[in-house]
Amino acid sequence: TLPDNGQKIIRMVRTPKDQIDIQEFVNLLESDPGLFTRILKLANSPYYRGINEVVSIRGAVTRIGLTDIVNTVSFYFFQKLLPRFPDVPGFTFDKYWEHSWACATACRRLGHPNLEMGVLPGDLYMTGMLQGIGKLLMAIHFPEDFSKCVRLAAKKQTALWRIERVVFGTTDNIIASKVLGVWHMPSQISEAVAFCHAPALSPPEHKTAAGLTQYAYAIVGESGVGDSGDCKCTEVAKTYFGGNPKLKIGQPETQEKLIAEIIESVTQNKEEPPQAR
């Protein structure tokens, strides 16, 4: 189940920066010693460290930036909420969360207004971060079968979800979507997760978010940041939106620049949230 402060964190991630109640955010963090300590540790890490030590949440917000700190809080929250799973070859706890953070970062970028896709960046951040939790649950409850899926996908050089469908009769993204439904996540997040590997099959109102999640997943696959256990991602140009020249993100020149920008961002900053535990 989702703790009470979970819904508050989700709401803040989905809220535009200029509409976030900073005092409410400060109160939320001060009521959770674990999150409070992690955020102060991050604000004083080599990546953000200034001349003076940060000792308050408001000081951390000033140093890190409101959008980044809200996103980071949500990342820490879900990383703490979801249990650790036994590492298997090709799928480890640390690499999984690195990959999830990179997907969240990439998804949020694809929600920028200059790409004209009409999806809230906060919704995309949540979708990117949580799209893989079905794999985490498979690894916890059925480690041998999931390890078999990872091995077979690597051996056959095919997408992991295709092997999961044979071994489990379902896919990790469908499982993730069901969990998000139990958590009362908005449908635009849970449905985007459900169809992130097959956006064309998504209900019309969720095709854009599902397609952008697939697009982000493909870029992160090219970046080499983290590991989702999936050795065969769809090429960006062959994703649902990547091959549509009517869209900005489907135009070769824009696509090339966007891929380079996102890969640079996630590779340069990969030491930030995932490694600040």
Side-chain angles (χ1 to χ4, degrees):
T1 58
L2 199 63
D4 292 341
N5 58 351
Q7 291 295 342
K8 295 178 181 178
I9 290 173
I10 293 167
R11 177 170 52 79
M12 287 184 181
V13 173
R14 302 181 67 224
T15 301
K17 181 176 69 173
D18 59 351
Q19 297 177 29
I20 293 176
D21 185 327
I22 295 180
Q23 187 57 53
E24 181 185 2
F25 181 60
V26 170
N27 293 342
L28 175 64
L29 292 190
E30 289 180 341
S31 69
D32 188 320
L35 286 176
F36 181 84
T37 300
R38 283 188 171 194
I39 292 304
L40 291 189
K41 181 180 177 182
L42 178 61
N44 291 300
S45 68
Y47 188 85
Y48 287 109
R49 187 166 52 212
I51 298 175
N52 300 314
E53 182 181 8
V54 169
V55 296
S56 69
I57 293 299
R58 284 188 176 273
V61 170
T62 300
R63 179 169 291 179
I64 297 174
L66 185 57
T67 297
D68 285 348
I69 202 169
V70 169
N71 290 341
T72 302
V73 165
S74 70
F75 180 89
Y76 284 158
F77 173 80
F78 283 103
Q79 189 184 52
K80 182 178 71 171
L81 172 70
L82 293 163
R84 191 177 186 101
F85 55 83
D87 292 348
V88 300
F91 191 73
T92 66
F93 182 84
D94 288 342
K95 290 294 184 181
Y96 164 81
W97 281 109
E98 248 186 50
H99 185 273
S100 296
W101 167 77
C103 280
T105 301
C107 270
R108 187 173 189 97
R109 173 63 184 92
L110 297 179
H112 194 284
N114 67 7
L115 294 177
E116 302 172 357
M117 297 305 294
V119 182
L120 291 172
D123 283 357
L124 288 173
Y125 185 89
M126 295 298 297
T127 301
M129 179 173 60
L130 299 174
Q131 48 76 32
I133 62 171
K135 295 173 187 171
L136 181 151
L137 295 172
M138 285 177 165
I140 290 171
H141 296 289
F142 305 98
E144 292 184 7
D145 286 338
F146 183 70
S147 180
K148 176 183 177 182
C149 289
V150 174
R151 291 198 309 271
L152 285 174
K155 181 179 180 180
K156 296 185 176 184
Q157 287 295 294
T158 190
L160 180 60
W161 66 269
R162 295 184 184 278
I163 303 297
E164 292 170 350
R165 192 166 58 186
V166 174
V167 174
F168 286 99
T170 188
T171 61
D172 65 86
N173 54 297
I174 295 297
I175 293 174
S177 175
K178 298 298 183 184
V179 173
L180 297 182
V182 171
W183 289 347
H184 304 294
M185 284 278 187
S187 61
Q188 53 264 46
I189 295 175
S190 61
E191 289 298 294
V193 167
F195 293 95
C196 64
H197 295 310
L201 302 179
S202 172
E205 65 271 27
H206 301 304
K207 271 187 169 59
T208 302
L212 291 175
T213 306
Q214 181 195 41
Y215 194 103
Y217 189 88
I219 293 177
V220 174
E222 289 189 16
S223 76
V225 174
D227 194 339
S228 67
D230 202 340
C231 68
K232 188 69 174 178
C233 298
T234 304
E235 295 176 23
V236 178
K238 295 181 180 179
T239 60
Y240 184 71
F241 287 137
N244 186 344
K246 294 181 180 179
L247 301 172
K248 280 189 177 182
I249 63 172
Q251 295 167 3
E253 183 178 352
T254 301
Q255 191 171 115
E256 184 178 348
K257 291 180 180 178
L258 194 57
I259 293 171
E261 176 194 328
I262 290 175
I263 288 180
E264 180 180 12
S265 175
V266 299
T267 52
Q268 285 188 350
N269 299 339
K270 71 176 182 178
E271 297 300 321
E272 182 192 333
Q275 301 303 327
R277 290 187 286 275

